Amino acid sequence: MHAVSVGEVVSATGLLRALRAELPDAPLYVSVSTVAGRAVAEERLRGIAEGVFYAPIDYALFVRRVFRTLQPRAVVVLETEIWPNLWREAKRFGCALVVVNGRISDRALPRYRRLKAFFRPILGLADAILTQSEQDRARYQELGFETAVCAGNLKYDFAPAGAPPHVLRRVIEASRPVRVWVAASTMPPAQPGDPDEDEAVIAAFQKVARPGLLLILVPRKPERFDSAAALLTREGIPFLRRSALTGTETLDLPGAILLDSMGELSGVFALADIVFMGGTLAHRGGHNILEPAAYGKPVIAGPHMENFAEIAEKFTAARAVLRISSAAELPCALESLLNDPARDGIGERARLVAEAERGATARAAREIVARYWQAVPRRFSRARWLLAPLTRIWLLGGAWKRRRDVARQVRLGTPVVSVGGIAVGGAGKTPAVLWLAGQFDNVAVLTRGYRRKVKSDIILNLGAAAPTAETGDEAQIYLRARVGPVGIGADRGRVGREVEARFAPSLFLLDDGFQHARLHRDFDLVVLDGLDPFAGGAVIPLGRLREPVEAVRRADAVLVTRVSRADGVEAALRGAGYKGPVFTGRVVADKWVDSTTGEPAEVPERTGAFCGLGNPASFWATLRSAGVEPEFRRAFPDHHKYTREELEELGSGVDALLTTEKDAANLPGDWRGRALWLRIRLEVERGEELVGLIRERVRR
């Protein structure tokens, strides 16, 4: 979600909660544009969002760095953030782009109209624009986005934050107020003739002051806290600063509490008898009156509600807000609400109006989730012009090698099921091999033993052991899992014949063999990483594809891992000419194992995580889904061989290091620190159907 302000954080919180429920494995990040916005977001979104950061300056260089770091699948833009480079890069990286709570203010509309020729193609990049009102929908359509939809205002779905801070409640209870007036989000003048809202509030307070009246003054911006305190002191009004409260103080009334804190206003509304909403006397466009309305509080608002015109219109028509035209009318309005026993009727009507308009959050979440699964994320090389000729050479060489290997292809007497990919790096092939091994009896695994030091063929029976230097790290996983005999060698046909002669397996599982054309396969299962399915969308070295996407036509089935849906990936595969079935699978945490003892272990409180995978984000996502939050995460190159010095540096200051089973096989024998590796398992949606297809092919 991009560039939310303080007020937008409140409405965004409900949407983020809904997205977290629908997409439990997806990381959520929120960018903000102000210091205050970040403070509120970090407080409100703790446990919901993985991170809060400042929105990058809208230059392609900076935006690309953010996209490469976060690798988002969807970008959600709140309200009127039309940043051309952000929008272009979002689509370039294959992200879904959804505008939520879209609005175009009266002040901004003339500018957009003048620059319509510029903004029209930018708006066309969005996959969906959900507007706050019918008026906003018409304005987006006028600017060129014909399919804009009115989905309602997220702010109507505001959920009250509950009780105010305990220390503040204790002080207020000890002071025994008869009436509590909250002056919320007060602002300075915006143009000549505007009142200073702090001065207007304090002047009104002095005119209506009576025993038992408590004013809670809440300036909108932190830089106004000290000036508000000076103003209260100058006028001789007894007051306490929220930042100095210990909970033991009492306040002589009539008096005031200066709420010089961030993120606590929403809870304070629960204490109010009357609310004045700031930003409405000065030409500031107003602030959101829905928060006090959700508590059923009567609200006074000035003439300037341009930023919330639709809300103001509905509340005014329903007599659910008391409007005043100037600061001079504030004392009279306040007096009427203090004296009118029916003032609670205004608050109740406000609550009913707000509740009648709810539902925008659910509608927005449905649209975002649908677009999320339709997106096909991409990553790009930084030097495409330089690497393009090398990609052409790679393609020519690969085509020649495949023709040669097919001409020399050998066939084993035992059925062979290949589990491979079209990209370099981790896609979840090893978990897929382990899952298939659990579905069939008497299987053997053939693997090349990537990066092993011994070049001769090695065949190991069930339960046998060998050093990683002789087998490679992936073979160690198969040996530890005791899936059956494991044959390791560059020529899988030759190794397979030896395994047949010695162990007579009923089925071979060929690990990472989609490009190994020298061996005939009875079934080809291609595994794609759902987080980056087409590895940059280009062949090595421009991207990380070993072959063009069209090569997947040779596959009998495709398994997209690390996702529960693959709508966009499947559409791209169909576009590339693939006609077979598409399955999805999720990697889930099984248990942690101590790398020294081999026994199950509990994760201590202070941990750090590291891995050497083709796609480190997959391990970070698994940790997140397992509820583990390490103090740091460190990624190394795929199949990295760790040194004792590296691990001692990583292990300094933590109780244990967390890593993958594959990385555990690459730990040095002379390191004496503590590392836990995560045993994982693959859960395949419609797994029985996939196994049935393989059995039928093998039977034939």
Side-chain angles (χ1 to χ4, degrees), residues 584-656:
T584 59
R586 294 178 63 247
V587 172
V588 297
D590 190 358
K591 61 182 177 181
W592 289 97
V593 179
D594 191 298
S595 64
T596 302
T597 65
E599 297 296 323
E602 295 292 328
V603 176
E605 182 176 350
R606 297 185 308 152
T607 62
F610 71 95
C611 68
L613 302 177
N615 184 7
S618 62
F619 183 48
W620 312 146
T622 303
L623 289 178
R624 185 173 57 253
S625 63
V628 176
E629 292 292 339
E631 295 185 10
F632 64 84
R633 300 179 297 184
R634 176 83 178 275
F636 291 86
D638 197 13
H639 299 278
H640 184 68
K641 306 294 184 183
Y642 299 96
T643 66
R644 185 181 64 184
E645 291 74 20
E646 287 173 333
L647 294 171
E648 287 176 350
E649 179 185 351
L650 289 173
S652 176
V654 296
D655 299 321

Side-chain angles (χ1 to χ4, degrees), residues 338-646:
L338 288 171
N339 295 330
D340 183 3
R343 66 181 178 277
D344 291 335
I346 298 177
E348 179 61 16
R349 288 192 294 273
R351 186 184 65 79
L352 292 175
V353 171
E355 288 186 353
E357 300 292 333
R358 297 173 73 88
T361 297
R363 289 188 285 272
R366 283 196 299 269
E367 184 68 32
I368 294 168
V369 169
R371 300 292 180 174
Y372 176 89
W373 291 121
Q374 292 169 8
V376 181
R378 296 189 294 268
R379 303 180 201 167
F380 291 91
S381 166
R382 291 188 173 96
R384 297 182 70 84
W385 63 271
L386 179 65
L387 299 177
L390 299 179
T391 290
R392 181 62 179 167
I393 294 172
W394 175 279
L395 287 169
L396 292 172
W400 173 82
K401 182 178 183 300
R402 177 166 179 77
R403 287 195 300 270
R404 184 199 63 179
D405 290 347
V406 169
R408 301 177 180 180
Q409 192 174 81
V410 300
R411 181 191 293 266
L412 299 177
T414 303
V416 176
V417 174
S418 166
V419 179
I422 58 173
V424 173
K429 295 184 292 292
T430 301
V433 170
L434 292 173
W435 179 78
L436 282 174
Q439 312 302 313
F440 297 90
D441 297 326
N442 192 24
V443 302
V445 175
L446 299 176
T447 182
R448 62 173 169 164
Y450 184 64
R451 286 196 176 181
R452 65 193 183 114
K453 295 181 179 179
V454 176
K455 300 304 180 184
S456 59
D457 297 343
I458 297 176
I459 298 173
L460 299 169
N461 196 5
L462 187 69
T468 302
E470 296 181 8
T471 66
D473 47 25
E474 288 165 342
Q476 289 289 321
I477 297 175
Y478 302 133
L479 292 171
R480 189 180 289 119
R482 302 174 65 87
V483 298
V486 178
I488 307 167
D491 187 338
R492 263 65 52 94
R494 183 178 64 231
V495 174
R497 284 172 174 164
E498 181 65 22
V499 173
E500 276 185 321
R502 291 173 58 179
F503 303 111
S506 301
L507 181 71
F508 277 115
L509 295 177
L510 176 61
D511 175 40
D512 197 12
F514 191 58
Q515 287 75 36
H516 191 68
R518 283 189 290 174
L519 178 62
H520 170 81
R521 284 73 60 88
D522 297 275
F523 194 96
D524 263 310
L525 175 64
V526 166
V527 181
L528 301 178
D529 178 5
L531 302 179
D532 185 22
F534 303 121
V539 175
I540 295 171
L542 272 177
R544 293 183 297 107
L545 286 176
R546 298 172 177 174
E547 302 181 83
V549 175
E550 289 75 15
V552 79
R553 297 170 186 170
R554 304 196 311 265
D556 297 290
V558 170
L559 173 62
V560 185
T561 61
R562 303 188 178 108
V563 293
S564 56
R565 288 174 53 183
D567 306 30
V569 177
E570 182 168 357
L573 291 173
R574 303 303 181 205
Y578 173 70
K579 298 181 180 179
V582 177
F583 300 87
T584 59
R586 294 178 63 247
V587 172
V588 297
D590 190 358
K591 61 182 177 181
W592 289 97
V593 179
D594 191 298
S595 64
T596 302
T597 65
E599 297 296 323
E602 295 292 328
V603 176
E605 182 176 350
R606 297 185 308 152
T607 62
F610 71 95
C611 68
L613 302 177
N615 184 7
S618 62
F619 183 48
W620 312 146
T622 303
L623 289 178
R624 185 173 57 253
S625 63
V628 176
E629 292 292 339
E631 295 185 10
F632 64 84
R633 300 179 297 184
R634 176 83 178 275
F636 291 86
D638 197 13
H639 299 278
H640 184 68
K641 306 294 184 183
Y642 299 96
T643 66
R644 185 181 64 184
E645 291 74 20
E646 287 173 333

Side-chain angles (χ1 to χ4, degrees), residues 142-172:
E142 177 187 346
L143 295 175
F145 197 88
E146 299 295 336
T147 57
V149 174
C150 177
N153 195 329
L154 292 181
K155 293 179 172 65
Y156 280 110
D157 291 335
F158 162 75
H166 180 65
V167 64
L168 182 61
R169 179 181 283 276
R170 287 182 59 184
V171 171
I172 293 175

